[in-house]
């Protein structure tokens, strides 16, 4: 389990640090297809994490087909393909010709390695906050255009600061 590194001072959520550690170990050749992963409880106890934190990491790795589980036996490396696709959450206020041009240019610049999902809040604060809350752990980067919305700081603070980009000024 020496390959897992957790930095309590990092802005990166701990479940993502587990995922990054597994990716790095695969790249270094420390983990190969078929190797057994440490148990959820072993990781939880070693690093003083909640079971939910470790389970979130494992679920994301399972969803990405990086690991697989065998009931009663544990988790195993299923793939060594760790070229992680960038997943970008793009939140606009509305769709108009300017935003369509911006979106098209954004897609061209993001390239083939990035998956961009676009959402619209239509100047509705509740929709804005709900979209961020529901997606805060599902993306690697966040690009947000709050428009004229106010009182959004609390929602924005739930996102990783080094991976969040605002395209407008905020009113609060």
């Amino acid at each position: 389990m020496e390959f897992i590194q957790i930095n309590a001072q990092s802005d990166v959520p701990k479940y993502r640090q587990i995922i990054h550690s597994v990716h790095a170990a695969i790249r270094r050749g420390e983990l190969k297809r078929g190797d057994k992963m440490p148990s959820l409880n072993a990781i939880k106890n070693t690093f003083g994490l909640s079971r939910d934190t470790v389970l979130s990491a494992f679920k994301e790795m399972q969803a990405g087909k990086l690991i697989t589980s065998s009931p009663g036996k544990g988790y195993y490396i299923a793939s060594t393909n760790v070229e992680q696709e960038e997943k970008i959450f793009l939140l606009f206020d509305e769709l108009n010709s300017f935003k369509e041009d911006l979106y098209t240019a954004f897609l061209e610049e993001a390239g083939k390695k990035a998956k961009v999902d676009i959402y619209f809040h239509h100047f509705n604060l509740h929709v804005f906050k709900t979209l961020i809350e529901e997606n805060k752990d599902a993306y690697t980067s966040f690009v947000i255009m709050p428009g004229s919305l106010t009182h959004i700081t609390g929602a924005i603070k739930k996102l990783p600061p080094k991976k969040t980009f605002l395209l407008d000024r905020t009113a609060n």
Side-chain angles (χ1 to χ4, degrees), residues 10-134:
S10 174
D11 289 336
V12 177
K14 290 176 180 64
Y15 84 97
R16 291 212 83 26
Q17 291 183 48
I18 294 169
I19 296 167
H20 293 293
S21 294
V22 171
H23 285 195
I26 290 171
R27 281 189 203 102
R28 290 190 304 268
E30 294 175 32
L31 289 174
K32 295 176 180 47
R33 192 171 189 276
D35 285 352
K36 188 170 190 208
M37 289 285 296
S39 72
L40 290 160
N41 286 331
I43 296 171
K44 173 183 93 71
N45 294 335
T46 299
F47 297 102
L49 303 172
S50 76
R51 183 171 171 77
D52 287 343
T53 297
V54 181
L55 191 56
S56 291
F58 277 53
K59 282 182 178 179
E60 187 168 319
M61 289 187 287
Q62 271 189 297
K65 310 238 186 282
L66 186 65
I67 65 171
T68 188
S69 65
S70 178
K73 293 184 179 180
Y75 292 86
Y76 295 85
I77 301 295
S79 171
T80 55
N81 182 10
V82 292
E83 294 307 315
Q84 184 177 359
E85 180 181 74
E86 179 80 10
K87 288 179 63 180
I88 302 171
F89 175 89
L90 184 59
L91 179 58
F92 282 171
D93 47 13
E94 65 182 351
L95 182 62
N96 57 34
S97 60
F98 168 72
K99 306 287 178 14
E100 189 174 350
D101 290 344
L102 183 61
Y103 177 64
T104 301
F106 192 86
L107 287 179
E108 288 173 9
E109 194 62 33
K112 294 180 182 179
K113 284 276 190 180
K115 179 180 183 293
V116 180
D117 292 333
I118 188 167
Y119 298 89
F120 300 94
H121 59 76
H122 301 286
F123 305 98
N124 182 314
L125 183 60
H126 177 72
V127 170
F128 180 90
K129 288 179 176 181
T130 301
L131 284 169
I132 288 177
E133 182 63 35
E134 290 177 352

